[in-house]
Amino acid sequence: MLSKKELPTNTQYKHPKKIKGRFAPTPSGDIHFGSLVCALASYLDVKSAGGIWVIRIDDLDTPRLKDGASEQIIETLDHYNLISDEPIYYQSDHLATYREFLNDLIAKNLTYECECTRKRIRSIGGIYDNKCRNRKIKNGRTSIRLKINDQNEVNTFSDGIYGLQQKESYRVSRDFIISRKDDIPSYEYSVVIDDFIQEISYVLRGKDLIFSTFNQLTLQKSLNIDAPEYAHIPLVMNLKKRKLSKSDGALLDKKNFSMNLYLALELLGQNPVEELKSATVSEIINSATINWKRENVPKVFNKHAT
Ligand code: GLU
């Protein structure tokens, strides 16, 4: 594993060209059909290219965590033969590393403390106005934001499924939080550090995170570290046309692993052959790996979860 200390200063560090992907669930409950689709797609995408696939447990957001959920998720993925090629990485084991990279951003004068409440930001229309940029550092219990400027901002990227993405076509973004008021590294910040130290080269995840990718790329540029390639897949919706969530209930039929995999492959546009419905999990995974076509993944799933 790499540490920031080993990096040459002021040069862009490049990872060796190794294909490595990951699935990074938050243990706020067991995975549902939508997360299975995401885990499966990220697995097949790297495995079909001869790469390594790992599981990371995003367990920093303590208020959202549920006891036993990590074990449950790992066990569920195991039933689908979605097994990490490396020991499972837990974000909570890496707090010192997040601090180390944060010190680097502080030293580069790219951070500031912000006291603004959500209420204030809502009252100005929901988009942060960089109000605290010139505030003196008091080292109080405040959140820390990254300063976006012409040197570090990334406005475009090429998505492996949705093609060229431009920030202007999404909502305007402003300086974003990298360390929360409760001293927890933010999602956008921690994920960038993890992807870097785990040497992830391909990130495939749900489309709800596509906008966050601009901030993640901006952070990588600020830290002068290598960025993985990104691909986003459509979201599985519930009957109310909202992103399927853990609160939608137990939507994964625990007795029919093969059928769940078959349905996930169908949704991912992989046209699984009928016989796979009754094949074993390992037969389905093997066949799906050989036949995986990223270009067949649709931009919208035309079915909701039932
Ligand atoms: N932990 C995040 C989630 O469960 C996903 C992180 C990522 O894939 O970048 O939504």
Side-chain angles (χ1 to χ4, degrees):
M1 231 162 42
L2 291 160
S3 130
K4 180 77 183 156
K5 288 189 197 113
E6 295 165 38
L7 300 181
T9 46
N10 294 326
T11 46
Q12 174 80 13
Y13 176 78
K14 290 267 172 231
H15 282 318
K17 284 274 165 262
K18 174 173 71 177
I19 297 171
K20 189 170 178 187
R22 48 72 163 180
F23 176 59
T26 301
S28 52
D30 198 359
I31 61 170
H32 52 65
F33 185 65
S35 1
L36 174 67
V37 169
C38 200
L40 181 66
S42 75
Y43 178 93
L44 296 174
D45 205 45
V46 294
K47 286 291 175 176
S48 61
I52 299 167
W53 185 79
V54 296
I55 297 173
R56 176 168 80 225
I57 299 290
D58 281 0
D59 60 350
L60 288 182
D61 193 359
T62 33
R64 283 179 63 209
L65 306 186
K66 210 172 133 204
D67 273 353
S70 303
E71 294 75 13
Q72 218 176 17
I73 291 172
I74 295 161
E75 197 190 310
T76 303
L77 291 170
D78 215 68
H79 285 307
Y80 292 96
N81 269 15
L82 301 174
I83 298 163
S84 184
D85 289 323
E86 287 179 357
I88 294 175
Y89 176 111
Y90 291 82
Q91 285 189 319
S92 53
D93 291 338
H94 298 272
L95 293 174
T97 313
Y98 302 125
R99 188 74 228 175
E100 193 187 325
F101 281 79
L102 179 62
N103 287 341
D104 189 43
L105 293 173
I106 294 172
K108 286 177 170 160
N109 195 24
L110 283 174
T111 60
Y112 61 91
E113 293 183 358
C114 173
E115 268 182 340
C116 296
T117 57
R118 280 194 193 162
K119 196 171 157 201
R120 176 184 174 267
I121 296 168
R122 263 199 311 273
S123 75
I124 54 162
I127 298 169
Y128 181 61
D129 54 2
N130 298 349
K131 178 174 181 263
C132 300
R133 263 198 167 190
N134 300 318
R135 208 176 151 261
K136 289 235 169 11
I137 303 260
K138 286 193 207 142
N139 283 317
R141 284 222 137 216
T142 60
S143 41
I144 298 176
R145 287 184 188 264
L146 183 86
K147 278 185 207 167
I148 303 186
N149 59 36
D150 291 346
Q151 280 76 51
N152 66 1
E153 182 163 30
V154 180
N155 283 316
T156 59
F157 72 95
S158 174
D159 187 88
I161 286 172
Y162 289 93
L164 181 69
Q165 297 299 303
Q166 281 172 314
K167 200 168 175 179
E168 302 78 62
S169 53
Y170 292 83
R171 64 197 141 87
V172 187
S173 80
R174 291 301 178 97
D175 296 347
F176 58 92
I177 292 178
I178 53 175
S179 176
R180 297 170 12 173
K181 198 172 155 194
D182 52 11
D183 214 22
I184 295 176
S186 74
Y187 155 71
E188 283 170 332
Y189 172 71
S190 53
V191 90
V192 158
I193 309 303
D194 300 323
D195 286 338
F196 175 69
I197 58 180
Q198 289 191 284
E199 301 188 39
I200 301 298
S201 58
Y202 282 88
V203 170
L204 187 149
R205 59 188 174 195
K207 191 170 184 267
D208 52 335
L209 294 169
I210 204 163
F211 179 77
S212 176
T213 307
F214 293 109
N215 285 350
Q216 295 179 33
L217 289 161
T218 295
L219 264 168
Q220 284 143 356
K221 203 167 168 192
S222 309
L223 288 161
N224 211 15
I225 59 174
D226 211 12
E229 286 177 33
Y230 291 96
H232 293 82
I233 62 166
L235 302 179
V236 179
M237 300 296 184
N238 65 16
L239 291 167
K240 290 182 190 140
K241 299 202 170 127
R242 296 237 173 85
K243 180 191 171 191
L244 193 66
S245 76
K246 285 163 186 155
S247 56
D248 286 314
L251 287 149
L252 269 182
D253 175 358
K254 293 254 176 191
K255 286 183 215 81
N256 211 337
F257 302 119
S258 297
M259 191 51 127
N260 292 337
L261 277 179
Y262 182 90
L263 293 173
L265 287 171
E266 216 177 27
L267 208 60
L268 287 164
Q270 302 301 305
N271 305 316
V273 289
E274 197 69 17
E275 297 86 78
L276 284 185
K277 278 186 181 164
S278 51
T280 63
V281 163
S282 84
E283 284 165 345
I284 301 174
I285 293 289
N286 287 342
S287 156
T289 306
I290 295 165
N291 295 305
W292 172 255
K293 288 192 182 62
R294 188 198 266 191
E295 62 278 16
N296 283 6
V297 176
K299 291 197 171 56
V300 179
F301 288 148
N302 57 12
K303 268 193 190 164
H304 47 67
T306 46

